[in-house]
Amino acid sequence: MSWEKELEELRQREAWAEEMGGAEKVQRQHDRGKLDARERIRRLVDPGSFREIGKIAGRGSYDEAGRLEHASPSNLIFGRADIEGRPVVASADDFTVRGGAADAALHRKFVMCEKMAHEMGIPLIRMIDGTGGGGSVKTLEDTGFTYVPAVPSWEDIMKNLETVPVVALALGPTAGMGAARTVASHYSVMVKGLSQIFAAGPVVAQAIGEDVDKEGLGGSELHTRNGVVDEEVASEDEAFAHARRFLSYLPSHVGQQPPRTDCDDPADRREESLISLVPHEDKQVYSMRALMDAAFDRGSVFEMGRRWGRAAITAFARLDGWPVAVLASDPSFLGGSWEALTSQKVKRFVETAELFRLPVVHLVDNPGFMVGVEAERTGTIRYGVEAMNAVYKATVPWASVIVRRAYGIAGSAMSNATRFQYRFAWPSGDWGSLPIAGGLEAAYKSDIEAADDPAARLAEIKAKLERVTSPFRTAEHFSVEDIIDPRDTRPLLCEFADLAWRKLGASP
């Protein structure tokens, strides 16, 4: 006997699953300028690599005799796929099936998707479009009772954050559990004008007297600037490209090494532009990103979180093909001073580098923690200390380059001072407990006032102290290890990367 009849039913069920929520709802999804869930997966992963799991799971409709009439799919699609030849778990909410609401999903399918990532040790990409929470108010009519809120599978979400890279792409309005799933990631992306994130939508906000639309309540303009989400892009395809690139710097799971890429950028390249990058005038700014582009492998810098915590730049890059985590000051924003948001950003990034065992390169130009009423109101010192704690707890190989300023407690967070200091300073280095300009006139007030020419006396004192604060005086006492020609930055960092990855177990 043949099983052809049963296989015909299987093929029919698979065909119904391909229809998602039906032609009308799929068209409505496209009319909103959104890709459907299956097209999203096709565009995200390597061609032909997706193998769906649980494709025919959903809800069947049967006649009185128990014969199948139709089957509606679950609104979570997931499976195994490849990105750049490396396996991943790819998942997508299907908004065409009850708007992605949980009452149209199968809880076990969601749980298995999350479990697959950490149990198999492969990255997880969530493409989120809908609520994905505990169901809608309409669910009450079907169930006839309410339940005490719980998320039984949350331990799997936490486990993934501890074991594998997790990427979340918000590709539509995401509320409640959908919003939580977006934030519970190592890297998150929103599409400008298409994605919104909120604990509850505008209708609920109106109940507390706030008349606001979806974009005003939770658009990317808001959430990529307050630290909820890492990146804002212009299209879904750009979001997929960002997800693929982010994963390229990381291992598939904690305890594994990330891939080293082929590199045709010479490790001994000396970039001439760096000799004049930092102005002699301390109040003039320069581009730290230009330094990064010059020092790291060409085209390898991948920044995350550019729109929030802007006094610090956090990025991944490569040195002679080896991936590294890059923490850098941005003197063009608040002079590089760490405020509350910047400190939170630094803490999260350093902890991510530590989790996935990436060496850290810290490019330092930090005049200290931000001061003033706003800095105190937002709790800068608390968040700053937490960032410093993350730096001191880090055990991965760490190299610091003091490009210009390093002052106060924030300046001391350049690295763990109790460890071996793999550190270089440029001749522009300027450090101490506080900038001289901030206390000179107060410290020498009586001396200056007593002088026949106060202005000349002030200039004399300033010139004398500037000689004392020369970085070469510090190097005499081995309080800074090496002062280097800025053009040697790349060769020295490539040397560091080679040693760091040898220490981390990579073959030379």
Side-chain angles (χ1 to χ4, degrees), residues 334 339-341 370-381 383:
L334 302 178
E339 28 69 79
L341 274 179
M370 193 64 189
V371 300
V373 174
E374 180 64 15
E376 302 302 334
R377 187 187 68 79
T378 55
T380 293
I381 190 63
Y383 295 114

Side-chain angles (χ1 to χ4, degrees), residues 412-432:
S412 69
M414 73 175 72
S415 58
N416 182 341
T418 66
R419 294 177 60 185
F420 169 72
Q421 293 291 289
Y422 209 111
R423 181 166 60 185
F424 310 103
W426 284 14
S428 47
D430 177 21
W431 41 68

